[in-house]
Amino acid sequence: MKSIYENEMKLEFISKSNNEAFARISVAAFAAQLDPTVEEISDIKTSVSEAVTNSIIHGYEDTEGIVKIICKIIGNSIIIEISDTGKGIENIEEAKKPLYTSKPNLERSGMGFTIMESFMDEMKIESILGIGTKVTMKKLIKKEEITDEDISKVLSQIGQKESNEN
Amino acid sequence: MKSIYENEMKLEFISKSNNEAFARISVAAFAAQLDPTVEEISDIKTSVSEAVTNSIIHGYEDTEGIVKIICKIIGNSIIIEISDTGKGIENIEEAKKPLYTSKPNLERSGMGFTIMESFMDEMKIESILGIGTKVTMKKLIKKEEITDEDISKVLSQIGQKESNEN
Amino acid sequence: MNVNYEQKNKLLLLEITEEIDHHTSEKIRRRADNEITRYMPRKVIFDFSNVTFMDSAGIGVVLGRYKMIKMLGGTLELKNVSLNLKKIFEMSGITKICPTTIKQAI
Amino acid sequence: MNVNYEQKNKLLLLEITEEIDHHTSEKIRRRADNEITRYMPRKVIFDFSNVTFMDSAGIGVVLGRYKMIKMLGGTLELKNVSLNLKKIFEMSGITKICPTTIKQAI
Ligand SMILES: Nc1ncnc2c1ncn2[C@@H]1O[C@H](COP(=O)(O)OP(=O)(O)O)[C@@H](O)[C@H]1O
Ligand SMILES: Nc1ncnc2c1ncn2[C@@H]1O[C@H](COP(=O)(O)OP(=O)(O)O)[C@@H](O)[C@H]1O
């Protein structure tokens, strides 16, 4: 089935940690038009959260900068580009290794890139020291048919607790 | 109480009607840091939906353009600016009148601006024929104290159905 | 949309299961019109219990169906309207022409 | 976070009620450390039933507490972990060092 959607959005926000939740919810709401499963939405939210957090704590460290997200829908895929103009990564191969972190003192686990790579279908890192970092991720949503009701259901799950507290 | 938050985000997307839900959810997720009530969130979502829809159907009519949203948190208020570079409004006073619509054939009710004015604390329309339209809205969130748990609860309600279907 | 028709009372129940905005309203309207012209009911009830969002597009949907149903000699009622939706129906005067009942808190 | 301490079994139950990301983790960590050093429990259980989102910040929170509790001679268990969270705990090897139970579907 060929998707009828071709769509694009751009999001920019200040590198404050309280924007992490807002950023992943926005991308998830945009992705909803592809009618992803609950698990696919969760994978996207987690990967976006990893990349946005990295821009905030590694890219900009304690300074204030702009995090930029570009999302594109092409066919049944969503492409998500998350970039900062922060300090950049010296050694990308090392950075991608599971458990490698430059901030163990912040209890970072070094699993961010590993999670993005495993939760998304493709991941690419581009970075120049002193200029900034861009992470591009792609996920194919494997769906047969999409209805507005399906999409309403997905939208209703975004940011929703799995069990109600009232 | 003085809010500790000062924050800003910018969102741009193609004038497609399937972006209406995504746009209002994103703004609601950004507003969540002020810990609004369920009713305040609903008022914001409805007002954003009105302005975004207007840009899509009145501003750009059947052509494709970019809708831009800028949100700022200042103290306990959220300021939302929604703009297009579409055809513009000839007579703003007339456009604001309840029940006035230039598209009765689309079953538009002419209540969009009236709803924005009544659901938000302030609303301002700027428009130049042939250049575009910008709607600026402000809402004061009347809260005493904000905790991360409160905010998690609000985030969980965004885009959530009020009753479960399963 | 879930559709239920009671032959005995000529009652058509239309339960809306989507968020109602400009994007979804076209489909809701078309589906409702099809069912109404198919059954020619004496009474139509829109059930909003599963509608978690509605903007002014909902006013157009309800008013348009109201006019059509009235022309065909029937009546329209709105059921299980949440408080957020009620605010919008009240502003537009719909609650004055269609009997409206509020959704009970769960 | 909801905290419950059973004196008899020296069991500290910490129920996390927030989404776990970098933003929220600092507070969760601080609160957990306070409760652990206050009660010196023999066993700590993290209950995740109300956690609807977690990214790798959750790994840091759990591993950091694991090391601390172990040093104090106690054990750590993870309870009511959803399938999405389990994927992340498994990738980091946490499920190999902490007994982990899955959340039942409701
Ligand atoms: N946007 C970025 N800017 C600068 N450095 C980064 C960025 N993203 C990642 N890094 C570097 O890559 C390392 C590995 O990242 P990641 O796998 O996400 O683990 P963690 O965030 O837990 O450290 C980081 O510790 C950091 O040194
Ligand atoms: N972004 C816009 N660009 C051009 N015209 C607009 C725009 N927003 C509103 N208008 C004009 O103002 C009128 C009233 O808008 P509104 O109160 O939202 O009612 P409705 O959308 O139901 O027509 C519209 O019918 C249209 O003529």
Side-chain angles (χ1 to χ4, degrees), chain D residues 40-92:
Chain D
M40 293 295 187
R42 192 141 49 205
K43 185 180 189 172
V44 179
I45 296 179
F46 269 123
D47 184 338
F48 290 88
S49 41
N50 285 308
V51 176
T52 48
F53 177 84
M54 187 186 86
D55 65 16
S56 72
I59 301 173
V61 170
V62 171
L63 278 185
R65 274 6 86 212
Y66 171 78
K67 286 177 198 160
M68 182 185 187
I69 293 162
K70 216 181 138 190
M71 222 179 58
L72 298 172
T75 60
L76 173 61
E77 283 187 25
L78 312 182
K79 205 176 121 181
N80 289 326
V81 168
S82 73
L83 294 178
N84 291 327
L85 270 60
K86 181 168 161 262
K87 280 207 291 193
I88 294 171
F89 284 136
E90 270 175 355
M91 276 177 84
S92 62

Side-chain angles (χ1 to χ4, degrees), chain A residues 4-14 16 18-19 21-22 24-27 29-30 33 152-161 164-166, chain B residues 4-14 16 18-19 21-22 24-27 29-30 33 152-161 164-166:
Chain A
I4 54 164
Y5 296 102
E6 295 288 328
N7 207 341
E8 186 169 353
M9 72 94 162
K10 186 168 94 183
L11 180 61
E12 290 178 13
F13 52 89
I14 299 178
K16 289 183 158 229
N18 56 357
N19 285 330
F22 146 68
R24 63 184 178 251
I25 289 174
S26 296
V27 174
F30 186 73
Q33 63 192 284
S152 281
K153 252 185 222 161
V154 174
L155 286 171
S156 81
Q157 283 151 357
I158 291 167
Q160 183 184 349
K161 291 195 186 277
N164 284 328
E165 285 167 296
N166 303 330
Chain B
I4 53 163
Y5 296 102
E6 295 289 328
N7 207 340
E8 186 170 350
M9 72 93 161
K10 187 168 92 184
L11 181 60
E12 289 178 13
F13 53 89
I14 299 178
K16 290 183 157 230
N18 57 355
N19 285 330
F22 146 68
R24 64 183 177 252
I25 289 174
S26 296
V27 174
F30 186 74
Q33 63 191 287
S152 282
K153 253 186 221 162
V154 174
L155 286 170
S156 80
Q157 284 151 358
I158 290 168
Q160 184 185 348
K161 290 195 186 278
N164 286 329
E165 288 168 291
N166 303 329

